[in-house]
Amino acid sequence: MIIAKECEGRYEEKRSVFIGKAWYITSADQAEEILSSVRKRYHDARHNCFAYILENGEMRMSDDGEPSGTAGKPILSVIQNRGYVNVLVTVTRYFGGTLLGAGGLVRAYTKACENALNESGSMDVTSGIRYELSYPYEYHGRIVRILNEKGAMTEECEYGADVRCVFLIDAEMRRGICDEIKEISAGRIKPVEKEKVRYAIDGKKFLELGEDGSIMRKF
């Protein structure tokens, strides 16, 4: 699962302000660039703590001067428990003058991370197949219905002598959709498999992802 958008979530306790931010990343180098910019932007803050997890399993966290285990670890735990990958969460703390104790710090950094991820939303990552399909106009209504019922994502549709469309379908659904299209056409119409793809979708937004999780295309 990945975040749907980069967002901020705040939490306050005893006048200390914790600014949580969730970022989509695909490499440790990208994470370091973002961390550098966060430190510059919040140079007057007491702490800039963080944690991140990449799709390849690489992860890192930092308490940035807070007592050991009270900042980076809670942030990382929230990310892991929610099943996110390719995400960096930073939490900047402006000290309010009152010590919070270890338990208070863990709670505050946890809440700031949760608030940022709640605002960011989530998108499930899945494997799919891109197909090309050509057919006479008389089949158009029935094929559109099948594509919609099976949750296919239509990328393009051209109307010439025949209809030509390119669509993506979840890998687990491909046999069913191909069988139904063949059945309504007595085997005359056969979707042609073009390539395997990885993508994320939240019902409103579609992202095609590269092997490292980088965003290749948006719909």
Side-chain angles (χ1 to χ4, degrees):
M1 189 164 62
I2 63 173
I3 61 173
K5 57 183 177 180
E6 295 177 350
C7 273
E8 176 182 303
R10 295 188 176 216
Y11 179 76
E12 295 186 21
E13 183 162 337
K14 296 180 181 179
R15 294 188 296 179
S16 279
V17 178
F18 297 81
I19 306 170
K21 289 179 176 288
W23 317 78
Y24 183 74
I25 60 170
T26 56
S27 69
D29 287 343
Q30 186 181 3
E32 290 301 323
E33 290 178 6
I34 293 172
L35 289 169
S36 178
S37 69
V38 168
R39 294 180 185 116
K40 288 179 181 178
R41 179 176 179 180
Y42 299 109
H43 61 88
D44 56 339
R46 180 70 67 91
H47 308 280
N48 285 296
C49 307
F50 71 88
Y52 68 77
I53 298 178
L54 296 175
E55 191 172 0
N56 63 8
E58 183 178 352
M59 61 182 71
R60 188 183 167 205
M61 60 184 175
S62 171
D63 294 313
D64 192 34
E66 293 282 31
S68 179
T70 62
K73 187 175 180 179
I75 297 170
L76 184 65
S77 293
V78 173
I79 297 172
Q80 289 176 317
N81 290 339
R82 295 199 177 190
Y84 284 102
V85 295
N86 287 351
V87 64
L88 161 70
V89 176
T90 61
V91 180
T92 297
R93 180 190 182 189
Y94 282 94
F95 184 55
T98 302
L99 296 176
L100 301 182
L105 288 173
V106 169
R107 179 174 60 253
Y109 280 101
T110 296
K111 290 295 295 183
C113 179
E114 289 176 341
N115 291 344
L117 291 176
N118 288 344
E119 291 296 321
S120 297
S122 63
M123 301 177 72
D124 290 325
V125 178
T126 188
S127 297
I129 309 292
R130 176 174 283 116
Y131 282 100
E132 184 174 322
L133 185 63
S134 297
Y135 54 88
Y137 281 85
E138 63 186 279
Y139 293 100
H140 187 56
R142 283 174 286 177
I143 287 177
V144 169
R145 175 183 57 78
I146 292 171
L147 294 179
N148 290 337
E149 288 179 351
K150 296 296 184 182
M153 173 69 66
T154 302
E155 288 188 287
E156 58 183 272
C157 214
E158 298 177 356
Y159 300 94
D162 287 327
V163 180
R164 173 189 169 275
C165 76
V166 177
F167 67 89
L168 296 177
I169 186 70
D170 186 294
E172 294 183 359
M173 299 290 289
R174 64 175 178 170
R175 176 167 295 182
I177 199 168
C178 290
D179 287 345
E180 286 200 31
I181 291 173
K182 291 176 184 177
E183 183 178 347
I184 66 168
S185 65
R188 291 191 295 272
I189 303 173
K190 298 179 181 180
V192 178
E193 182 176 326
K194 304 299 291 183
E195 59 187 332
K196 293 179 173 61
V197 295
R198 294 176 67 250
Y199 62 91
I201 189 167
D202 67 355
K204 297 180 180 178
K205 183 167 59 175
F206 171 90
L207 303 176
E208 184 177 344
L209 306 174
E211 291 185 2
D212 62 352
S214 57
I215 298 172
M216 309 293 290
R217 299 176 67 190
K218 296 182 180 182
F219 292 85

